[in-house]
């Protein structure tokens, strides 16, 4: 079947979001537990999640004052417009700046929807708003790309301005549409992919050939097997990448091999950060790649590969820009106030407005032509899952769709790019962080189960697990390997025995894994009622004391002054609760040695989620929970513990109360393992060294 005939047979329903809700018009009645019935349940859970997400957003913002919204991180106020530009597509781009003294924490991010508002007294009722998307972000400046070709008068008439984060309806709308499309698919490729991914049909593979792989590569055997799995898959392939096993390297190699055989592929991930990493890595390999949407990491390399940059670099773009400038001048001239407005003046104004309208239309047409030319020539298009619904991609189809971090993506989001492809490659690890689900009922009823998990469980022949890891000392790796990966992981010889003493001879041989037990010390947790968070200050102090002891071989000087072959020693401090994180940060800032490392960014503090995809030479984890009832709360999500522990390269330090933790089988097994490798210590050993 040719690409043209495949495209012709694809079913493209109208973008009516109600179609997925009312499906009585379907001719056939799906059997119970069929893929269609399963997707209907997923859709119902997604609507529940949307409702809960909106409810939480409204609770945080409805009737809240500007000052309260500022405190919660949802608002900048006041802001001033420091720059105005006409951007791609003739939409206004505003640079907004807040006062230098307002440097508190906030929740603004590149790619988030936001709304500029005015607060001048002359505006009756609700304040006027201008919607847009945050397209760049600095310490006190951000760029808002608006949805308008004309700026409202209130933006420039002296009104006091502010900017709010707004609810993200776009993601839910696109997921709704994608589910509608995949549920209603009949007799086409999307219907086949749906049935294969959900286990109703067997996945197919063609026979491998000796000369399958072209690009020279230092990949190990398990990585090469995963690349061959991608090349030979006719429907779906899964790359299962445990921590430190080179999943991104393998995925990039698979993409390079695929574009040897196919004209154009789509590469997606649920987060902007993951898309940026893939885009940079692919660009460094010299392939023609375009990043759709707004990059979160504003680097020169990334910016030159955005669609906007490629369009503006086109030889014909200057003509479109000149048209827009002339049109803006005509429109401004037509709006100038005059003392008298006779027949000739009115005619002149009408002519100017019409001329401006035509010039804007011609510029739009030219930009669309340029965009189509740019996209037609590209080998790889990268974007987020929701970004795959971009207006410039709606008419495109792809032989292969790659989805990285698929185990962190809600299933409805994955169907957005899958609907554009002939086959799918999923990469990720379902034993690490799951997707975020705000509705407890939706999570409990199955929304947290990802398409990656379903596929790897129902179509095990599609998956290849990477088994050699290049990050951790073998003792740090071993417990995770036993608990999550069937004991199949192997530490590469370069890291197998690389403890702190391998980093610097000043460090004596040490336990790569160490558990400091606070049982019997009375270090009981404290609950913060206002935030429902938990802290354990005494445990945090003990962790920092042990960390200082570990760093003693570095001497009193800042580590950055010590030359090391392996670069700067990096440290991560992790806790499962925000209240404990806040206490640790404050204590570290007041600590002469550790505070300097924090300022130099050699030491970082955060939750497990903030360390996803990262690694440090030393990871210190405060487990925090210590109570007489054996309640461990968030710690029962053992996937988060897997992520936290496997961030460590040379030293993993755990501090906790064994009497509380051992009530859970995972932590009981962890304590047994630590004892087996000689890493168990009581807090008395550390306190006695004061």
């Amino acid at each position: 079947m040719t690409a043209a005939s495949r495209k012709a047979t694809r079913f493209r329903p109208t973008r009516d979001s109600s179609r997925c809700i009312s499906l009585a018009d379907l001719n056939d009645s799906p059997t119970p537990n069929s893929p269609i019935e399963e997707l209907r349940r997923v859709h119902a859970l997604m609507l529940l999640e949307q409702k809960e997400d909106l409810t939480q957003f409204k609770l945080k913002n409805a009737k809240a004052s500007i000052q309260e919204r500022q405190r919660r991180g949802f608002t900048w106020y006041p802001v001033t417009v420091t720059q105005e530009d006409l951007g791609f597509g003739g939409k206004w781009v505003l640079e907004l700046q807040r006062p230098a003294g307002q440097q508190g924490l906030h929740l603004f991010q590149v790619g988030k929807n936001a709304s500029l508002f005015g607060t001048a007294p002359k505006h009756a009722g609700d304040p006027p708003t201008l919607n847009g998307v945050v397209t760049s972000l600095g310490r006190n400046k951000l760029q808002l790309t608006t949805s308008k070709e004309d700026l409202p008068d209130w933006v420039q008439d002296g009104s006091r301005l502010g900017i709010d984060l707004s609810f993200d309806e776009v993601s839910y709308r696109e997921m709704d549409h994608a589910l509608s499309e995949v549920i209603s698919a009949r007799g086409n490729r999307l219907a086949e992919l749906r049935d294969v991914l959900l286990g109703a049909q067997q996945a197919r593979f063609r026979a491998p050939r000796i000369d399958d792989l072209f690009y020279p590569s230092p990949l190990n055997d398990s990585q090469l097997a995963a690349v061959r799995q991608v090349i030979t898959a006719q429907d779906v392939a899964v790359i299962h990448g445990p921590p430190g096993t080179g999943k991104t390297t393998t995925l990039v190699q698979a993409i390079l091999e695929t574009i040897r055989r196919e004209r154009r592929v789509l590469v997606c991930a649920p987060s902007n950060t993951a898309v940026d990493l893939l885009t940079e890595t692919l660009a460094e390999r010299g392939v023609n790649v375009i990043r759709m949407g707004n990059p979160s990491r504003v680097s020169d390399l990334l910016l030159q590969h955005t669609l906007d940059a490629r369009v503006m670099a086109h030889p014909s773009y200057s003509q479109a820009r000149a048209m827009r400038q002339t049109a803006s001048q005509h429109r401004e001239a037509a709006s100038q106030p005059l003392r008298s407005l006779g027949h000739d003046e009115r005619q002149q104004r009408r002519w100017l407005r019409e001329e401006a309208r035509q010039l804007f239309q011609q510029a739009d047409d030219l930009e669309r032509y340029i965009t189509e030319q740019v996209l037609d020539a590209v080998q790889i298009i990268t974007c987020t899952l929701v970004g795959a619904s971009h207006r410039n991609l709606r008419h495109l189809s792809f032989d292969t769709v790659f989805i990285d971090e698929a185990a962190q993506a809600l299933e409805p989001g994955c169907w957005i790019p899958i609907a554009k492809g002939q086959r799918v490659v999923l990469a990720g690890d379902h034993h690490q962080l799951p997707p975020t689900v705000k509705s407890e009922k939706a999570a409990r009823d199955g929304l947290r189960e990802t398409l990656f998990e379903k596929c790897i469980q129902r179509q095990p022949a599609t998956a290849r697990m990477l088994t050699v890891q290049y990050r951790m000392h073998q003792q740090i790796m071993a417990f995770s390997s036993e608990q999550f990966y069937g004991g199949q992981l192997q530490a590469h010889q370069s890291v197998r025995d690389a403890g702190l003493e391998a980093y610097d001879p000043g460090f004596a041989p040490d336990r790569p894994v160490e558990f400091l037990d606070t049982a019997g010390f009375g270090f009981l947790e404290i609950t913060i009622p206002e935030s429902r968070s938990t802290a354990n200050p005494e445990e945090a102090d003990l962790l920092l004391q042990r960390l200082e002891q570990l760093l003693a071989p570095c001497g009193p000087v800042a580590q950055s002054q010590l030359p090391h072959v392996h670069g700067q020693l990096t440290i991560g401090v992790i806790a499962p609760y925000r209240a404990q994180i806040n206490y640790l940060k404050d204590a570290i800032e007041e600590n002469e040695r550790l505070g300097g490392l924090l300022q130099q960014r050699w030491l970082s503090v955060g939750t497990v989620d903030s360390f996803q995809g990262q690694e440090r030479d030393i990871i210190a984890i405060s487990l925090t929970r210590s109570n007489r009832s054996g309640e461990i709360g968030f710690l029962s999500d053992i996937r988060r513990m897997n992520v936290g522990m496997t961030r460590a390269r040379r030293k993993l330090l755990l501090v906790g109360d064994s009497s509380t933790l051992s009530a859970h089988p995972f932590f009981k097994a962890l304590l047994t393992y630590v004892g087996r490798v000689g890493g168990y210590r009581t807090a008395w050993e550390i306190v006695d060294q004061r």
Side-chain angles (χ1 to χ4, degrees):
M1 183 180 287
T2 66
S5 61
R6 279 197 302 265
K7 187 174 178 181
T9 58
R10 297 292 298 279
F11 175 72
R12 297 286 182 190
T14 57
R15 299 179 69 79
D16 178 6
S17 63
S18 65
R19 181 170 176 79
C20 199
I21 300 171
S22 176
L23 294 164
D25 57 330
L26 295 177
N27 293 325
D28 53 330
S29 298
T31 58
N33 302 319
S34 72
I36 291 174
E37 190 62 35
E38 181 176 352
L39 286 168
R40 286 176 173 170
R41 290 195 298 272
V42 170
H43 178 258
L45 295 176
M46 189 202 73
L47 293 179
L48 195 63
E49 171 70 1
Q50 181 179 12
K51 182 179 179 181
E52 177 63 22
D53 196 2
L54 181 58
T55 299
Q56 290 187 21
F57 186 86
K58 286 181 175 178
L59 281 174
K60 291 175 181 175
N61 290 280
K63 299 180 181 178
S65 65
I66 290 176
Q67 290 72 26
E68 178 64 16
R69 298 201 307 272
Q70 275 183 298
R71 188 184 68 79
R72 293 174 179 172
F74 288 95
T75 299
W76 282 12
Y77 180 84
V79 295
T80 54
V81 179
T82 54
Q83 192 172 331
E84 301 172 5
D85 278 314
L86 272 176
F88 181 61
K91 304 299 190 293
W92 280 99
V93 180
L94 303 177
E95 183 183 76
L96 306 172
Q97 183 172 351
R98 63 175 176 170
Q102 295 183 14
Q103 295 179 3
L105 297 176
H106 61 81
L107 300 175
F108 286 84
Q109 296 178 34
V110 170
K112 289 279 189 181
N113 295 322
S115 179
L116 186 70
F117 63 88
T119 60
K122 58 185 164 184
H123 299 301
D126 292 334
T129 58
L130 177 64
N131 296 324
V133 176
V134 178
T135 48
S136 75
L137 182 66
R139 191 171 189 179
N140 288 311
K141 285 185 178 181
L142 64 78
Q143 192 177 76
L144 182 73
T145 298
T146 74
S147 54
K148 299 292 183 183
E149 295 184 358
D150 293 307
L151 284 180
D153 292 339
W154 58 266
V155 174
Q156 300 167 311
D157 68 0
S159 297
R160 282 177 69 80
L161 304 175
I163 185 167
D164 280 328
L165 282 174
S166 51
F167 184 70
D168 182 13
E169 294 180 353
V170 174
S171 295
Y172 288 107
R173 184 174 68 243
E174 296 301 338
M175 287 191 291
D176 187 274
H177 171 67
L179 282 173
S180 173
E181 186 172 1
V182 71
I183 287 172
S184 57
R186 297 291 187 280
N188 60 7
R189 184 56 178 154
L190 180 56
E192 292 173 354
L193 286 176
R194 174 194 65 207
D195 292 347
V196 170
L197 284 161
L198 296 178
Q201 287 185 22
Q202 194 67 32
R204 301 164 302 157
F205 293 85
R206 67 169 177 79
R209 296 195 305 267
I210 296 176
D211 60 345
D212 261 335
L213 302 185
F214 171 77
Y215 284 94
S217 166
L219 299 187
N220 62 50
D221 289 345
S222 68
Q223 292 171 330
L224 286 170
V227 174
R228 286 195 173 92
Q229 183 85 340
V230 170
I231 298 306
T232 58
Q234 293 181 270
D235 307 297
V236 60
V238 176
I239 300 175
H240 180 194
T245 55
K247 172 182 64 66
T248 300
T249 300
T250 307
L251 181 61
V252 166
Q253 195 71 22
I255 294 168
L256 294 175
E257 291 288 347
T258 301
I259 61 174
R260 270 191 70 226
R261 299 157 173 82
E262 299 172 9
R263 179 170 171 267
R264 182 175 55 211
V265 301
L266 182 64
V267 178
C268 303
S271 71
N272 277 296
T273 303
V275 177
D276 291 346
L277 175 61
L278 282 168
T279 306
E280 287 182 339
T281 308
L282 288 163
E284 287 167 355
R285 297 295 295 267
V287 296
N288 187 354
V289 57
I290 281 185
R291 165 68 155 100
M292 302 295 291
N294 304 305
S296 57
R297 296 201 305 235
V298 184
S299 68
D300 290 341
L301 180 61
L302 264 181
L303 285 176
Q304 66 178 297
H305 291 287
T306 60
L307 178 62
D308 288 4
R310 297 287 283 275
V311 167
M312 289 188 285
H314 192 278
S316 300
Y317 181 75
S318 58
Q319 183 181 350
R321 187 174 183 84
M323 288 178 185
R324 291 197 182 283
Q325 289 173 340
T326 304
S328 296
Q329 291 167 2
H330 286 348
R331 188 168 55 187
E332 187 177 344
S335 304
Q336 292 296 322
L338 296 173
R339 291 182 181 178
S340 62
L341 205 62
H343 174 75
D344 291 344
E345 287 82 0
R346 283 197 296 271
Q347 287 288 97
Q348 177 68 7
R349 287 196 170 205
R350 275 196 293 269
W351 180 86
L352 286 170
R353 289 194 185 98
E354 178 59 23
E355 189 70 11
R357 187 191 66 78
Q358 290 186 16
L359 284 170
F360 276 127
Q361 182 63 55
Q362 290 172 21
D364 286 345
D365 292 343
L366 181 54
E367 283 186 3
R368 275 192 292 270
Y369 170 75
I370 295 170
T371 301
E372 288 178 6
Q373 271 201 330
V374 169
L375 292 177
D376 191 58
V378 75
Q379 293 173 286
I380 302 169
I381 295 174
T382 64
C383 60
T384 61
L385 301 177
V386 175
S389 64
H390 193 284
R391 65 184 184 277
N392 290 316
L393 299 184
R394 284 178 185 159
H395 66 290
L396 299 181
S397 62
F398 301 85
D399 288 325
T400 303
V401 171
F402 291 86
I403 301 179
D404 192 17
E405 304 293 3
Q408 291 184 54
L410 289 176
E411 180 181 345
C414 289
W415 289 112
I416 300 172
I418 290 172
K420 298 178 177 297
Q422 296 297 311
R423 66 185 194 118
V424 187
V425 178
L426 305 175
D429 179 14
H430 53 303
H431 298 305
Q432 297 190 57
L433 291 183
T436 300
V437 179
K438 295 182 179 179
S439 165
E440 292 182 8
K441 178 172 174 49
R444 188 171 57 249
D445 290 351
L447 188 60
R448 192 169 280 156
E449 186 181 11
T450 63
L451 192 60
F452 182 95
E453 289 175 271
K454 291 179 180 180
C455 188
I456 208 169
Q457 290 164 6
R458 301 175 193 183
Q459 299 275 16
T462 65
R464 289 291 179 272
M465 188 174 83
L466 310 181
T467 57
V468 180
Q469 67 83 18
Y470 298 83
R471 175 185 298 163
M472 296 163 272
H473 189 287
Q474 60 183 342
Q475 287 189 12
I476 299 173
M477 173 203 73
F479 180 72
S480 176
S481 179
E482 291 172 7
Q483 290 289 312
F484 298 99
Y485 307 107
Q488 295 182 62
L489 296 189
Q490 306 166 28
H492 189 263
Q493 62 180 7
S494 62
V495 299
R496 186 177 299 143
D497 301 307
L500 288 174
E501 69 278 7
Y503 169 79
D504 188 292
F507 290 101
D510 188 42
R511 306 167 175 88
V513 180
E514 180 179 337
F515 183 90
L516 275 183
D517 191 357
T518 66
F521 258 66
F523 289 177
L524 295 179
E525 66 194 51
I526 301 168
T527 301
I528 315 298
E530 295 82 2
S531 62
R532 295 187 298 175
S533 192
T534 302
N536 194 326
E538 292 168 306
E539 180 181 293
D541 291 338
L542 180 68
L543 180 146
L544 298 182
Q545 182 187 347
R546 177 60 182 136
L547 201 52
E548 281 196 272
Q549 289 178 3
L550 281 173
L551 297 176
C554 292
V557 242
Q559 293 184 66
S560 58
Q561 298 175 21
L562 298 177
H564 289 295
V565 175
H566 300 291
Q568 177 62 45
L569 186 74
T570 56
I571 306 157
V573 177
I574 295 174
Y577 292 91
R578 176 53 55 186
Q580 186 77 338
I581 292 293
N582 292 341
Y583 181 86
L584 283 162
K585 282 184 175 178
D586 291 344
I588 288 171
E589 286 177 0
E590 294 173 4
N591 184 295
E592 184 177 351
R593 171 188 287 274
L594 300 179
L597 295 176
L598 187 67
Q599 290 177 356
Q600 296 166 20
R601 299 187 179 180
W602 304 126
L603 186 153
S604 48
V605 188
T607 61
V608 169
D609 298 59
S610 68
F611 281 90
Q612 171 74 5
Q614 301 182 43
E615 56 188 52
R616 300 289 188 273
D617 291 300
I618 300 173
I619 285 288
I621 303 178
S622 168
L623 296 168
T624 307
R625 299 307 297 262
S626 179
N627 54 69
R628 295 181 177 89
S629 56
E631 293 290 330
I632 64 170
F634 288 146
L635 294 180
S636 61
D637 185 350
I638 60 175
R639 287 185 290 185
R640 279 190 154 74
M641 278 304 299
N642 184 37
V643 173
M645 293 189 298
T646 56
R647 301 307 95 193
R649 288 194 287 251
R650 304 172 187 277
K651 174 77 177 184
L652 173 63
L653 171 64
L654 303 162
V655 184
D657 179 352
S658 64
S659 63
T660 298
L661 298 168
S662 59
H664 191 283
F666 174 84
F667 289 97
K668 186 176 182 179
L670 174 61
L671 288 163
T672 301
Y673 172 76
V674 171
R676 191 167 77 235
V677 298
Y680 177 85
R681 304 179 72 178
T682 71
W684 294 109
E685 296 179 56
I686 304 304
V687 173
D688 289 345
Q689 294 179 31
R690 286 181 178 175

